[in-house]
PDB file of all heavy atoms in Angstrom:
ATOM      1  N   SER A 110     -79.036   1.142  39.586  1.00 78.00           N
ATOM      2  CA  SER A 110     -78.477   1.619  40.845  1.00 78.00           C
ATOM      3  C   SER A 110     -78.769   0.772  42.068  1.00 78.00           C
ATOM      4  O   SER A 110     -78.158   0.781  43.122  1.00 78.00           O
ATOM      5  CB  SER A 110     -78.921   3.099  41.140  1.00 78.00           C
ATOM      6  OG  SER A 110     -80.343   3.143  41.262  1.00 78.00           O
ATOM      7  N   THR A 111     -80.002   0.008  41.996  1.00 80.00           N
ATOM      8  CA  THR A 111     -80.347  -0.815  43.205  1.00 80.00           C
ATOM      9  C   THR A 111     -80.302  -2.342  42.844  1.00 80.00           C
ATOM     10  O   THR A 111     -80.836  -3.117  43.606  1.00 80.00           O
ATOM     11  CB  THR A 111     -81.762  -0.482  43.648  1.00 80.00           C
ATOM     12  OG1 THR A 111     -82.690  -0.525  42.581  1.00 80.00           O
ATOM     13  CG2 THR A 111     -81.758   0.976  44.223  1.00 80.00           C
ATOM     14  N   ALA A 112     -79.733  -2.764  41.686  1.00 86.00           N
ATOM     15  CA  ALA A 112     -79.880  -3.987  41.231  1.00 86.00           C
ATOM     16  C   ALA A 112     -78.706  -4.957  41.717  1.00 86.00           C
ATOM     17  O   ALA A 112     -77.502  -4.471  42.037  1.00 86.00           O
ATOM     18  CB  ALA A 112     -79.822  -4.094  39.718  1.00 86.00           C
ATOM     19  N   ASP A 113     -78.999  -6.283  41.979  1.00 90.00           N
ATOM     20  CA  ASP A 113     -77.996  -7.210  42.339  1.00 90.00           C
ATOM     21  C   ASP A 113     -77.376  -7.859  41.087  1.00 90.00           C
ATOM     22  O   ASP A 113     -76.250  -8.454  41.106  1.00 90.00           O
ATOM     23  CB  ASP A 113     -78.544  -8.373  43.157  1.00 90.00           C
ATOM     24  CG  ASP A 113     -79.262  -7.718  44.336  1.00 90.00           C
ATOM     25  OD1 ASP A 113     -78.553  -7.155  45.254  1.00 90.00           O
ATOM     26  OD2 ASP A 113     -80.538  -8.004  44.526  1.00 90.00           O
ATOM     27  N   ALA A 114     -78.194  -7.980  39.964  1.00 93.00           N
ATOM     28  CA  ALA A 114     -77.745  -8.618  38.772  1.00 93.00           C
ATOM     29  C   ALA A 114     -78.283  -7.853  37.559  1.00 93.00           C
ATOM     30  O   ALA A 114     -79.199  -7.134  37.638  1.00 93.00           O
ATOM     31  CB  ALA A 114     -78.154 -10.110  38.802  1.00 93.00           C
ATOM     32  N   ALA A 115     -77.739  -8.269  36.446  1.00 92.00           N
ATOM     33  CA  ALA A 115     -78.180  -7.709  35.039  1.00 92.00           C
ATOM     34  C   ALA A 115     -78.277  -8.806  34.063  1.00 92.00           C
ATOM     35  O   ALA A 115     -77.314  -9.548  33.928  1.00 92.00           O
ATOM     36  CB  ALA A 115     -77.265  -6.547  34.652  1.00 92.00           C
ATOM     37  N   VAL A 116     -79.225  -8.737  33.321  1.00 93.00           N
ATOM     38  CA  VAL A 116     -79.433  -9.618  32.053  1.00 93.00           C
ATOM     39  C   VAL A 116     -79.076  -8.682  30.846  1.00 93.00           C
ATOM     40  O   VAL A 116     -79.878  -7.838  30.519  1.00 93.00           O
ATOM     41  CB  VAL A 116     -80.802 -10.272  31.943  1.00 93.00           C
ATOM     42  CG1 VAL A 116     -80.879 -11.127  30.702  1.00 93.00           C
ATOM     43  CG2 VAL A 116     -81.135 -11.117  33.204  1.00 93.00           C
ATOM     44  N   VAL A 117     -77.950  -8.894  30.284  1.00 93.00           N
ATOM     45  CA  VAL A 117     -77.538  -8.147  29.039  1.00 93.00           C
ATOM     46  C   VAL A 117     -77.987  -8.934  27.815  1.00 93.00           C
ATOM     47  O   VAL A 117     -77.526 -10.055  27.592  1.00 93.00           O
ATOM     48  CB  VAL A 117     -75.971  -7.838  29.060  1.00 93.00           C
ATOM     49  CG1 VAL A 117     -75.692  -7.144  27.820  1.00 93.00           C
ATOM     50  CG2 VAL A 117     -75.574  -7.155  30.336  1.00 93.00           C
ATOM     51  N   LEU A 118     -78.922  -8.347  27.035  1.00 93.00           N
ATOM     52  CA  LEU A 118     -79.402  -9.062  25.897  1.00 93.00           C
ATOM     53  C   LEU A 118     -78.505  -8.537  24.599  1.00 93.00           C
ATOM     54  O   LEU A 118     -78.087  -7.418  24.516  1.00 93.00           O
ATOM     55  CB  LEU A 118     -80.863  -8.625  25.518  1.00 93.00           C
ATOM     56  CG  LEU A 118     -81.803  -9.635  26.424  1.00 93.00           C
ATOM     57  CD1 LEU A 118     -82.016  -9.113  27.800  1.00 93.00           C
ATOM     58  CD2 LEU A 118     -83.108  -9.728  25.646  1.00 93.00           C
ATOM     59  N   ILE A 119     -78.353  -9.460  23.701  1.00 94.00           N
ATOM     60  CA  ILE A 119     -77.680  -9.250  22.473  1.00 94.00           C
ATOM     61  C   ILE A 119     -78.434  -9.846  21.324  1.00 94.00           C
ATOM     62  O   ILE A 119     -78.956 -11.016  21.383  1.00 94.00           O
ATOM     63  CB  ILE A 119     -76.246  -9.880  22.521  1.00 94.00           C
ATOM     64  CG1 ILE A 119     -75.373  -9.177  23.529  1.00 94.00           C
ATOM     65  CG2 ILE A 119     -75.534  -9.717  21.141  1.00 94.00           C
ATOM     66  CD1 ILE A 119     -74.027  -9.849  23.691  1.00 94.00           C
ATOM     67  N   ASP A 120     -78.708  -9.052  20.285  1.00 94.00           N
ATOM     68  CA  ASP A 120     -79.429  -9.429  19.111  1.00 94.00           C
ATOM     69  C   ASP A 120     -78.331 -10.021  18.095  1.00 94.00           C
ATOM     70  O   ASP A 120     -77.565  -9.195  17.605  1.00 94.00           O
ATOM     71  CB  ASP A 120     -80.153  -8.377  18.516  1.00 94.00           C
ATOM     72  CG  ASP A 120     -80.928  -8.696  17.229  1.00 94.00           C
ATOM     73  OD1 ASP A 120     -80.691  -9.818  16.648  1.00 94.00           O
ATOM     74  OD2 ASP A 120     -81.811  -7.852  16.780  1.00 94.00           O
ATOM     75  N   PRO A 121     -78.303 -11.235  17.809  1.00 94.00           N
ATOM     76  CA  PRO A 121     -77.284 -11.915  16.966  1.00 94.00           C
ATOM     77  C   PRO A 121     -77.317 -11.420  15.582  1.00 94.00           C
ATOM     78  O   PRO A 121     -76.312 -11.348  14.841  1.00 94.00           O
ATOM     79  CB  PRO A 121     -77.519 -13.420  17.095  1.00 94.00           C
ATOM     80  CG  PRO A 121     -78.944 -13.565  17.419  1.00 94.00           C
ATOM     81  CD  PRO A 121     -79.277 -12.398  18.330  1.00 94.00           C
ATOM     82  N   VAL A 122     -78.525 -11.143  15.049  1.00 93.00           N
ATOM     83  CA  VAL A 122     -78.706 -10.571  13.777  1.00 93.00           C
ATOM     84  C   VAL A 122     -77.978  -9.284  13.527  1.00 93.00           C
ATOM     85  O   VAL A 122     -77.244  -9.062  12.517  1.00 93.00           O
ATOM     86  CB  VAL A 122     -80.114 -10.444  13.360  1.00 93.00           C
ATOM     87  CG1 VAL A 122     -80.350  -9.812  12.037  1.00 93.00           C
ATOM     88  CG2 VAL A 122     -80.935 -11.718  13.493  1.00 93.00           C
TER      89      VAL A 122
END
Side-chain angles (χ1 to χ4, degrees):
S110 63
T111 57
D113 305 298
V116 179
V117 178
L118 276 82
I119 298 176
D120 181 348
V122 175

